[in-house]
Amino acid sequence: MHKKIAEILQEMGEVTEAETARLLEIQRTEGMRRRFGEIAIEHGISEDRLVEALSQQFHLPVAGAKDFPEAVPLEKISFGFLENNLILPLSVRDNLLSVATGDPTQTEGIDSLRSSFGYDIALYIAKKSAILEHLQLLRGSRTAVMQRLIEDAAEDETTAAAVTGEISHLKDLAQEKGIIQLVNILIENAVKDRASDIHIEPGELSVRARYRIDGVLFEKEVLPMRTYSAISSRIKLLAQMNIAERRLPQDGRIKTSFSGREIDIRVSTLPTIHGESIVMRLLDKGVSFVTLEELGFDRMMLDMYEEMIRKPYGMILITGPTGSGKSTTLYASLDKINTPEKKIITIEEPVEYLMPGINQIQVRPKIGLTFAGGLRHIVRQDPDVIMVGEIRDMETAGISIHAALTGHLLYSTLHTNDAPGAVTRLMDMGIENYLVASTLICVIAQRLVRRICGHCREQLPEAGEAARRLDPRLVTLWHGRGCEHCAGTGYRGRIGIFEMLPVGEEIRGLVMRHATAKEIKDMAVSLGMRTLREDGIQKVATGVTTLDEVLRVTQVEL
């Protein structure tokens, strides 16, 4: 049997026998509606001393403010539930959930946690006021704000009407305060997390919100399905799309700002069986583009590339899949040679960053301004350097080759797996081999790998036999253990890995003979070209990234 709290307080010297009798009489007068401890605090007993007494009574350790978490370590738990039950989850380790309670006699909340989450419970005692104050603090955090907005939107009766698909309600739903706040905070959190894309994906029972951070998707929120129509309508309204059209893909654009930073958002919708998948690409106008020196080239490769981009004419191609940083390399290259003596014109879809001193054109297919059409007019503007966002077809490829032949330096991008593949891709598109040989001066293939977080970077005990077999240089490996700066991922930011193919006499000879990409690659490697994977392994060996990252973005070399 536990000692009574009045008896323990008396032993601690906090109350006399007479004071105890008086407090018990007050409790009886009130019909035993309040606990003895509450009445004792009202009559001068400190809450700290009461917690000490409760710790003795229930044999529980005391938790103080230093033990309280920065975020609730449990997902999908209501702050109302925690406040009503006077409990605060502290941490989860293995299968043990540590919980602070302000009232050990109130066991319903603890039992609910145990049955809902399946954890063993380690119970602590803490001041009620401290628990409630900390829960209020957590409520104000961005995670809590998001959870509250989701709960409010899900409970809004008018939102449920959207499920019926009545178009007349959609615009009203999109203007509701809760939905406006929910969409705003989705975007704001993505900007704070350095996300490049937001994915809103409806499922059968719920809507998933994912952010792409440093090239990898992370699930951030699970939203109730009945909020979906209002959320999608809000995004479409902002992007000036047709709210009523849900059967066809649409594209739109949102210009907004957060914390004084101008954000340009490209919005794409795609009908799926459960609703429209929405992807928002975030372009932060306030972020200055990366310089050539910051991209990730080693010194020798950088010197070679800078020599290429200063040539008076010819074609330079950057290749790689979507999201591999091709545009960033193009902008960095143009910035390096942007001087008052040069006229530089770009044609892009879209214009991602505004560059002073450069004439930038936005492709507008709806009015007939395509890459090929715009390029024809660009060459009449007496440019020194031309940048074409992407070579997609024979027509654009042909005009680009012609521009490079007639005394212009032309940059563009292609979607190929490696640098030698770009050479044969041009010929596959219908460009004569002798034209490719005479205009192409350099091809760069690239990928992006995540950098190890500089705040939690540490050396692994051993590299492992598999790593040493892959490359003898991999004697020491590094990783990020995960911290608040990298959201526990071990990575923060990205860096490029590169494969540079200068087109010299030997490569030109192979192109004239219609050589395969494999033959061109073998020749380039024999001449000293470092492949994508080799460049990545070099960055692993120097502790910039991890072997897992390099293997994730590169293919096995044949």
Side-chain angles (χ1 to χ4, degrees), residues 327 330 347-349 371 387-391 411-414:
S327 296
L330 285 177
I347 180 162
E348 310 167 57
E349 186 186 14
F371 278 120
M387 191 263 272
V388 181
E390 184 183 344
I391 293 177
Y411 296 88
S412 193
T413 68
L414 271 178

Side-chain angles (χ1 to χ4, degrees), residues 381-402:
Q381 287 280 307
D382 188 30
D384 297 291
V385 180
I386 302 169
M387 191 263 272
V388 181
E390 184 183 344
I391 293 177
R392 298 177 178 174
D393 51 49
M394 165 63 182
E395 188 179 13
T396 307
I399 301 170
S400 299
I401 289 284
H402 177 74

Side-chain angles (χ1 to χ4, degrees), residues 99-112:
V99 180
T101 178
D103 185 354
T105 65
Q106 201 172 328
T107 59
E108 294 87 349
I110 302 297
D111 292 339
S112 295

Side-chain angles (χ1 to χ4, degrees), residues 534-551:
E534 287 171 349
D535 192 47
I537 286 173
Q538 176 62 33
K539 289 179 171 67
V540 172
T542 54
V544 174
T545 188
T546 62
L547 186 58
D548 287 343
E549 275 297 285
V550 173
L551 296 179

